[in-house]
Amino acid sequence: MAASTILRLQTIVSRELDASTPTVLTVSSIHAGDAENIIPASATLKLNLRTLDASLRTQALGAIERVLAAEARASDAPAPPTITPTSTFPFTVNDGAATATLEAAFGAHFEPGEHGYATDAPRLSGSEDFGVLASAVRRPSSFWIYGGTDPGAWDEAERKGSVREDVPINHSAWFAPAVMPTLRVAVDAYAIAALAWLAKGEGK
């Protein structure tokens, strides 16, 4: 029943949701029994859903509930599935005016170029609680990122076509950003962001 449920869940993104908006549904943890000769009485699946659109999230959550209930019924389970929400994060959407102010300040300080400041960073699907900081006090916010990989190492990985293998991301056990210029860029960015408002006497 757990295996059939996992297979069916994988069809939600590919068959039911708008393919033009990235959505990720992952069954990242499965636990059912601990002996090879005993059919377990229960199975626990842990799911992670990431969307960039509120309506798609609602649609996906409804589809997940429908699939879980249908697969349990198809397998003649003695009880309906129990669904327990664990962690959830709000959508992080940059405020247009705040972002424009930051872009002007960052653009004036940081050098543009292949390894410099860029305004065309792609949307991310990572789980992030940053949005709570602004929504809790009803203030605009803007989320930015900065790299920590040595440009030479990145260029070499790109040349070999091995970026995914040779450039560890921040959740990897091998993640080790180059201290410089990463630290300098990060400190400069935070200081400039604050001064973009405070130096003008427009702190809010």
Side-chain angles (χ1 to χ4, degrees), residues 7 10 45 118 159 170:
L7 289 175
Q10 298 308 304
L45 310 179
R159 187 187 65 78
N170 58 344

Side-chain angles (χ1 to χ4, degrees), residues 112-159:
E114 184 179 0
H115 298 300
Y117 176 66
T119 61
D120 59 349
R123 292 188 298 178
L124 303 176
S125 61
S127 297
E128 180 55 58
D129 59 1
F130 170 80
V132 177
L133 299 177
S135 61
V137 293
R138 299 181 182 179
R139 291 294 185 270
S141 65
S142 185
F143 184 86
W144 70 81
I145 60 174
Y146 47 86
T149 302
D150 179 82
W154 179 275
D155 289 344
E156 178 63 16
E158 274 196 330
R159 187 187 65 78

Side-chain angles (χ1 to χ4, degrees), residues 87-109:
S87 60
T88 183
F89 301 96
F91 288 97
T92 298
V93 180
N94 286 352
D95 176 79
T99 301
T101 298
L102 289 175
E103 287 185 339
F106 289 166
H109 178 81

